[in-house]
Structures are given as structure tokens and as C-alpha cells.
Short mmCIF file of all heavy atoms in Angstrom, two decimals:
data_model
loop_
_atom_site.label_atom_id
_atom_site.label_comp_id
_atom_site.label_asym_id
_atom_site.label_seq_id
_atom_site.Cartn_x
_atom_site.Cartn_y
_atom_site.Cartn_z
N SER F 123 0.85 -1.19 0.00
CA SER F 123 0.00 0.00 0.00
C SER F 123 0.88 1.24 0.00
O SER F 123 1.94 1.26 0.62
CB SER F 123 -0.90 0.00 1.24
OG SER F 123 -1.47 1.27 1.44
N LYS F 124 0.46 2.27 -0.71
CA LYS F 124 1.24 3.51 -0.75
C LYS F 124 1.40 4.09 0.65
O LYS F 124 2.40 4.70 0.98
CB LYS F 124 0.58 4.51 -1.69
CG LYS F 124 0.71 4.14 -3.17
CD LYS F 124 0.09 5.21 -4.05
CE LYS F 124 0.39 4.95 -5.53
NZ LYS F 124 -0.12 3.68 -6.01
N ARG F 125 0.38 3.89 1.48
CA ARG F 125 0.44 4.43 2.84
C ARG F 125 1.50 3.72 3.69
O ARG F 125 2.02 4.29 4.65
CB ARG F 125 -0.92 4.29 3.51
CG ARG F 125 -2.00 5.18 2.90
CD ARG F 125 -3.32 4.99 3.62
NE ARG F 125 -4.36 5.82 3.06
CZ ARG F 125 -5.61 5.84 3.48
NH1 ARG F 125 -5.97 5.03 4.48
NH2 ARG F 125 -6.51 6.63 2.91
N SER F 126 1.80 2.46 3.33
CA SER F 126 2.76 1.70 4.13
C SER F 126 4.20 1.95 3.72
O SER F 126 5.13 1.57 4.42
CB SER F 126 2.45 0.20 4.01
OG SER F 126 2.71 -0.26 2.68
N GLU F 127 4.40 2.60 2.58
CA GLU F 127 5.76 2.88 2.11
C GLU F 127 6.37 4.04 2.90
O GLU F 127 5.66 4.95 3.33
CB GLU F 127 5.74 3.21 0.62
CG GLU F 127 5.32 2.04 -0.25
CD GLU F 127 5.35 2.39 -1.73
OE1 GLU F 127 4.85 3.46 -2.10
OE2 GLU F 127 5.87 1.58 -2.50
N PRO F 128 7.69 4.02 3.12
CA PRO F 128 8.32 5.10 3.89
C PRO F 128 8.16 6.46 3.22
O PRO F 128 8.24 6.57 1.99
CB PRO F 128 9.79 4.66 3.95
CG PRO F 128 9.97 3.71 2.81
CD PRO F 128 8.65 3.01 2.64
N ARG F 129 7.92 7.46 4.02
CA ARG F 129 7.76 8.82 3.50
C ARG F 129 9.13 9.39 3.13
O ARG F 129 10.07 9.36 3.93
CB ARG F 129 7.08 9.70 4.54
CG ARG F 129 6.81 11.12 4.07
CD ARG F 129 6.08 11.92 5.13
NE ARG F 129 5.87 13.29 4.70
CZ ARG F 129 6.76 14.27 4.83
NH1 ARG F 129 7.92 14.01 5.45
NH2 ARG F 129 6.51 15.48 4.42
N ILE F 130 9.25 9.90 1.92
CA ILE F 130 10.50 10.48 1.44
C ILE F 130 10.26 11.97 1.18
O ILE F 130 9.54 12.33 0.25
CB ILE F 130 10.99 9.79 0.15
CG1 ILE F 130 11.07 8.27 0.33
CG2 ILE F 130 12.32 10.38 -0.30
CD1 ILE F 130 12.06 7.82 1.37
N PRO F 131 10.84 12.86 1.98
CA PRO F 131 10.69 14.30 1.72
C PRO F 131 11.37 14.67 0.40
O PRO F 131 12.40 14.10 0.02
CB PRO F 131 11.40 14.96 2.91
CG PRO F 131 11.54 13.88 3.95
CD PRO F 131 11.63 12.59 3.19
N PHE F 132 10.81 15.66 -0.28
CA PHE F 132 11.41 16.11 -1.54
C PHE F 132 12.84 16.60 -1.32
O PHE F 132 13.71 16.42 -2.16
CB PHE F 132 10.55 17.22 -2.16
CG PHE F 132 11.16 17.85 -3.37
CD1 PHE F 132 11.23 17.15 -4.57
CD2 PHE F 132 11.69 19.14 -3.31
CE1 PHE F 132 11.82 17.72 -5.70
CE2 PHE F 132 12.28 19.72 -4.44
CZ PHE F 132 12.34 19.02 -5.63
N GLY F 133 13.06 17.20 -0.13
CA GLY F 133 14.41 17.69 0.16
C GLY F 133 15.47 16.61 0.14
O GLY F 133 16.65 16.90 -0.07
N SER F 134 15.05 15.35 0.35
CA SER F 134 16.02 14.25 0.32
C SER F 134 16.66 14.10 -1.05
O SER F 134 17.81 13.68 -1.17
CB SER F 134 15.33 12.94 0.70
OG SER F 134 14.84 12.99 2.02
N LEU F 135 15.90 14.44 -2.10
CA LEU F 135 16.44 14.34 -3.46
C LEU F 135 17.57 15.34 -3.65
O LEU F 135 18.55 15.06 -4.37
CB LEU F 135 15.34 14.58 -4.49
CG LEU F 135 14.50 13.37 -4.91
CD1 LEU F 135 13.75 12.78 -3.72
CD2 LEU F 135 13.53 13.74 -6.02
N VAL F 136 17.45 16.50 -3.01
CA VAL F 136 18.50 17.51 -3.09
C VAL F 136 19.70 17.09 -2.25
O VAL F 136 20.85 17.16 -2.69
CB VAL F 136 17.96 18.88 -2.62
CG1 VAL F 136 19.07 19.95 -2.72
CG2 VAL F 136 16.75 19.29 -3.45
N GLU F 137 19.44 16.63 -1.04
CA GLU F 137 20.51 16.19 -0.15
C GLU F 137 21.30 15.04 -0.73
O GLU F 137 22.52 14.94 -0.55
CB GLU F 137 19.93 15.78 1.21
CG GLU F 137 19.32 16.93 1.99
CD GLU F 137 18.59 16.45 3.23
OE1 GLU F 137 18.20 15.26 3.28
OE2 GLU F 137 18.42 17.25 4.16
N ARG F 138 20.60 14.12 -1.43
CA ARG F 138 21.26 12.94 -1.98
C ARG F 138 21.90 13.20 -3.34
O ARG F 138 22.51 12.30 -3.91
CB ARG F 138 20.25 11.79 -2.10
CG ARG F 138 19.61 11.37 -0.77
CD ARG F 138 20.55 10.52 0.04
NE ARG F 138 20.84 9.27 -0.62
CZ ARG F 138 20.09 8.16 -0.53
NH1 ARG F 138 19.01 8.16 0.24
NH2 ARG F 138 20.44 7.06 -1.15
N GLY F 139 21.70 14.37 -3.91
CA GLY F 139 22.34 14.70 -5.18
C GLY F 139 21.56 14.29 -6.41
O GLY F 139 22.07 14.42 -7.54
N PHE F 140 20.34 13.81 -6.25
CA PHE F 140 19.53 13.48 -7.42
C PHE F 140 19.12 14.76 -8.16
O PHE F 140 19.00 14.79 -9.38
CB PHE F 140 18.27 12.70 -7.01
CG PHE F 140 18.55 11.29 -6.56
CD1 PHE F 140 18.56 10.97 -5.22
CD2 PHE F 140 18.82 10.29 -7.49
CE1 PHE F 140 18.81 9.67 -4.80
CE2 PHE F 140 19.08 9.00 -7.08
CZ PHE F 140 19.08 8.69 -5.73
N LEU F 141 18.89 15.83 -7.39
CA LEU F 141 18.59 17.15 -7.94
C LEU F 141 19.52 18.16 -7.29
O LEU F 141 20.02 17.94 -6.18
CB LEU F 141 17.13 17.53 -7.66
CG LEU F 141 16.05 16.64 -8.28
CD1 LEU F 141 14.67 17.09 -7.78
CD2 LEU F 141 16.10 16.69 -9.80
N GLU F 142 19.73 19.28 -7.96
CA GLU F 142 20.59 20.33 -7.44
C GLU F 142 19.79 21.60 -7.21
O GLU F 142 18.83 21.88 -7.94
CB GLU F 142 21.74 20.63 -8.41
CG GLU F 142 22.69 19.46 -8.62
CD GLU F 142 23.79 19.79 -9.61
OE1 GLU F 142 23.81 20.95 -10.09
OE2 GLU F 142 24.63 18.90 -9.88
N ALA F 143 20.19 22.35 -6.20
CA ALA F 143 19.56 23.65 -5.97
C ALA F 143 19.77 24.52 -7.20
O ALA F 143 20.86 24.58 -7.76
CB ALA F 143 20.17 24.31 -4.74
N GLY F 144 18.71 25.18 -7.64
CA GLY F 144 18.77 26.00 -8.84
C GLY F 144 18.31 25.28 -10.09
O GLY F 144 18.06 25.92 -11.13
N GLN F 145 18.17 23.96 -10.03
CA GLN F 145 17.73 23.19 -11.19
C GLN F 145 16.26 23.48 -11.47
O GLN F 145 15.47 23.75 -10.56
CB GLN F 145 17.95 21.69 -10.93
CG GLN F 145 18.02 20.85 -12.19
CD GLN F 145 18.63 19.47 -11.90
OE1 GLN F 145 18.94 19.14 -10.76
NE2 GLN F 145 18.82 18.68 -12.94
N THR F 146 15.88 23.41 -12.75
CA THR F 146 14.51 23.73 -13.15
C THR F 146 13.69 22.45 -13.33
O THR F 146 14.16 21.49 -13.95
CB THR F 146 14.49 24.54 -14.46
OG1 THR F 146 15.24 25.75 -14.28
CG2 THR F 146 13.06 24.89 -14.86
N LEU F 147 12.47 22.49 -12.81
CA LEU F 147 11.51 21.40 -13.01
C LEU F 147 10.41 21.86 -13.95
O LEU F 147 10.08 23.06 -14.00
CB LEU F 147 10.90 20.96 -11.67
CG LEU F 147 11.85 20.50 -10.57
CD1 LEU F 147 11.04 20.02 -9.35
CD2 LEU F 147 12.78 19.42 -11.05
N TYR F 148 9.83 20.92 -14.70
CA TYR F 148 8.78 21.24 -15.67
C TYR F 148 7.60 20.28 -15.47
O TYR F 148 7.76 19.18 -14.95
CB TYR F 148 9.29 21.08 -17.11
CG TYR F 148 10.53 21.87 -17.43
CD1 TYR F 148 11.80 21.30 -17.24
CD2 TYR F 148 10.44 23.16 -17.92
CE1 TYR F 148 12.95 22.01 -17.54
CE2 TYR F 148 11.60 23.89 -18.24
CZ TYR F 148 12.83 23.31 -18.03
OH TYR F 148 13.98 24.01 -18.33
N ASP F 149 6.44 20.69 -15.97
CA ASP F 149 5.36 19.71 -16.10
C ASP F 149 5.58 18.96 -17.40
O ASP F 149 6.46 19.32 -18.20
CB ASP F 149 3.99 20.40 -16.07
CG ASP F 149 3.70 21.15 -17.35
OD1 ASP F 149 4.48 22.08 -17.69
OD2 ASP F 149 2.71 20.83 -18.03
N ILE F 150 4.85 17.91 -17.65
CA ILE F 150 5.11 17.02 -18.77
C ILE F 150 5.01 17.73 -20.12
O ILE F 150 5.65 17.36 -21.08
CB ILE F 150 4.18 15.78 -18.72
CG1 ILE F 150 4.57 14.76 -19.77
CG2 ILE F 150 2.73 16.20 -18.91
CD1 ILE F 150 5.94 14.17 -19.58
N ARG F 151 4.19 18.82 -20.19
CA ARG F 151 4.03 19.54 -21.45
C ARG F 151 4.87 20.83 -21.49
O ARG F 151 4.74 21.63 -22.42
CB ARG F 151 2.56 19.89 -21.68
CG ARG F 151 1.68 18.66 -21.83
CD ARG F 151 0.25 19.06 -22.12
NE ARG F 151 -0.62 17.88 -22.25
CZ ARG F 151 -1.94 17.94 -22.47
NH1 ARG F 151 -2.53 19.13 -22.58
NH2 ARG F 151 -2.64 16.84 -22.56
N ARG F 152 5.69 21.03 -20.48
CA ARG F 152 6.56 22.20 -20.38
C ARG F 152 5.79 23.52 -20.39
O ARG F 152 6.30 24.56 -20.82
CB ARG F 152 7.61 22.21 -21.52
CG ARG F 152 8.60 21.06 -21.47
CD ARG F 152 9.60 21.18 -22.61
NE ARG F 152 10.53 20.08 -22.66
CZ ARG F 152 11.74 20.06 -22.08
NH1 ARG F 152 12.13 21.11 -21.38
NH2 ARG F 152 12.53 19.02 -22.21
N ARG F 153 4.57 23.50 -19.91
CA ARG F 153 3.80 24.74 -19.81
C ARG F 153 4.15 25.51 -18.55
O ARG F 153 3.99 26.72 -18.49
CB ARG F 153 2.29 24.43 -19.82
CG ARG F 153 1.79 23.85 -21.14
CD ARG F 153 0.31 23.52 -21.05
NE ARG F 153 0.06 22.53 -20.00
CZ ARG F 153 -1.15 22.06 -19.69
NH1 ARG F 153 -2.22 22.53 -20.32
NH2 ARG F 153 -1.29 21.15 -18.75
N HIS F 154 4.59 24.79 -17.53
CA HIS F 154 4.91 25.42 -16.26
C HIS F 154 6.32 25.00 -15.84
O HIS F 154 6.78 23.90 -16.18
CB HIS F 154 3.90 25.00 -15.18
CG HIS F 154 2.48 25.22 -15.57
ND1 HIS F 154 1.93 26.48 -15.72
CD2 HIS F 154 1.49 24.33 -15.86
CE1 HIS F 154 0.66 26.35 -16.07
NE2 HIS F 154 0.37 25.05 -16.16
N SER F 155 6.97 25.87 -15.06
CA SER F 155 8.31 25.54 -14.57
C SER F 155 8.50 26.13 -13.19
O SER F 155 7.78 27.04 -12.77
CB SER F 155 9.39 26.08 -15.53
OG SER F 155 9.33 27.50 -15.58
N ALA F 156 9.45 25.58 -12.47
CA ALA F 156 9.80 26.06 -11.13
C ALA F 156 11.24 25.67 -10.85
O ALA F 156 11.75 24.69 -11.40
CB ALA F 156 8.87 25.48 -10.08
N ARG F 157 11.89 26.43 -9.99
CA ARG F 157 13.29 26.15 -9.66
C ARG F 157 13.38 25.54 -8.27
O ARG F 157 12.63 25.89 -7.36
CB ARG F 157 14.12 27.42 -9.75
CG ARG F 157 14.15 28.02 -11.16
CD ARG F 157 14.95 29.29 -11.18
NE ARG F 157 16.38 29.03 -10.97
CZ ARG F 157 17.23 29.96 -10.55
NH1 ARG F 157 16.81 31.19 -10.28
NH2 ARG F 157 18.51 29.66 -10.39
N VAL F 158 14.33 24.62 -8.13
CA VAL F 158 14.56 23.94 -6.86
C VAL F 158 15.36 24.84 -5.94
O VAL F 158 16.38 25.41 -6.35
CB VAL F 158 15.31 22.61 -7.07
CG1 VAL F 158 15.58 21.93 -5.73
CG2 VAL F 158 14.54 21.70 -8.01
N ARG F 159 14.90 24.98 -4.68
CA ARG F 159 15.62 25.78 -3.69
C ARG F 159 16.42 24.84 -2.78
O ARG F 159 16.13 23.65 -2.66
CB ARG F 159 14.64 26.61 -2.87
CG ARG F 159 13.79 27.52 -3.73
CD ARG F 159 12.76 28.25 -2.88
NE ARG F 159 13.36 29.38 -2.18
CZ ARG F 159 12.85 29.93 -1.09
NH1 ARG F 159 11.76 29.43 -0.55
NH2 ARG F 159 13.44 30.98 -0.53
N ALA F 160 17.41 25.37 -2.11
CA ALA F 160 18.31 24.56 -1.29
C ALA F 160 17.61 23.88 -0.12
O ALA F 160 18.04 22.83 0.35
CB ALA F 160 19.45 25.43 -0.77
N ASP F 161 16.49 24.46 0.33
CA ASP F 161 15.79 23.89 1.48
C ASP F 161 14.72 22.87 1.09
O ASP F 161 13.92 22.45 1.91
CB ASP F 161 15.17 25.00 2.33
CG ASP F 161 14.09 25.78 1.59
OD1 ASP F 161 13.89 25.53 0.37
OD2 ASP F 161 13.44 26.64 2.21
N GLY F 162 14.70 22.48 -0.18
CA GLY F 162 13.74 21.47 -0.61
C GLY F 162 12.38 22.02 -0.98
O GLY F 162 11.42 21.26 -1.07
N THR F 163 12.28 23.34 -1.22
CA THR F 163 11.04 23.92 -1.72
C THR F 163 11.27 24.36 -3.16
O THR F 163 12.39 24.29 -3.69
CB THR F 163 10.61 25.13 -0.86
OG1 THR F 163 11.66 26.12 -0.87
CG2 THR F 163 10.33 24.70 0.58
N LEU F 164 10.19 24.82 -3.79
CA LEU F 164 10.27 25.32 -5.16
C LEU F 164 9.87 26.79 -5.19
O LEU F 164 9.16 27.28 -4.31
CB LEU F 164 9.32 24.54 -6.08
CG LEU F 164 9.51 23.03 -6.22
CD1 LEU F 164 8.52 22.48 -7.24
CD2 LEU F 164 10.93 22.68 -6.61
N VAL F 165 10.31 27.49 -6.23
CA VAL F 165 9.89 28.86 -6.46
C VAL F 165 9.50 29.00 -7.93
O VAL F 165 10.23 28.56 -8.82
CB VAL F 165 11.00 29.88 -6.08
CG1 VAL F 165 12.30 29.59 -6.84
CG2 VAL F 165 10.51 31.30 -6.32
N SER F 166 8.33 29.57 -8.15
CA SER F 166 7.85 29.82 -9.51
C SER F 166 7.31 31.24 -9.54
O SER F 166 6.34 31.55 -8.82
CB SER F 166 6.75 28.84 -9.88
OG SER F 166 6.26 29.11 -11.19
N SER F 167 7.93 32.10 -10.34
CA SER F 167 7.61 33.54 -10.32
C SER F 167 7.85 34.03 -8.89
O SER F 167 8.93 33.90 -8.35
CB SER F 167 6.18 33.79 -10.79
OG SER F 167 6.03 33.35 -12.13
#
């Protein structure tokens, strides 16, 4: 069950090096974008 799986904070991806602070994320159609912040949040506009 999805509920039984361990919770992984988004910030863990930054800490583990899967993503870097300042990197840009997109939706699948590239209509929207946001940048990754060092504390594991995003900023868009």
C-alpha cells in the first residue's frame, strides 16, 4: 500500500544529489516551470 511505504521528503532528493539547488523542473508539457531551492522547496515567479 502507498500508505505503508516510507515517507520520502522532496528535500532528500536535493541532499542525496539526485537534484541540485537552482535546477529547473517542468510539467510534462513544459507549460509550467519552477526552480529547486536549497531547502527542498520550489519557487515559480
Side-chain angles (χ1 to χ4, degrees):
S123 165
K124 288 182 172 60
R125 292 180 180 178
S126 67
E127 294 182 315
R129 183 178 178 275
I130 307 297
F132 174 71
S134 297
L135 274 61
V136 180
E137 294 172 338
R138 300 283 296 274
F140 289 102
L141 298 174
E142 296 179 1
Q145 201 163 3
T146 301
L147 303 184
Y148 305 91
D149 73 300
I150 188 63
R151 297 183 181 178
R152 295 181 183 267
R153 294 178 299 180
H154 307 291
S155 63
R157 297 179 69 201
V158 178
R159 303 176 79 202
D161 63 355
T163 58
L164 300 184
V165 56
S166 178
S167 298

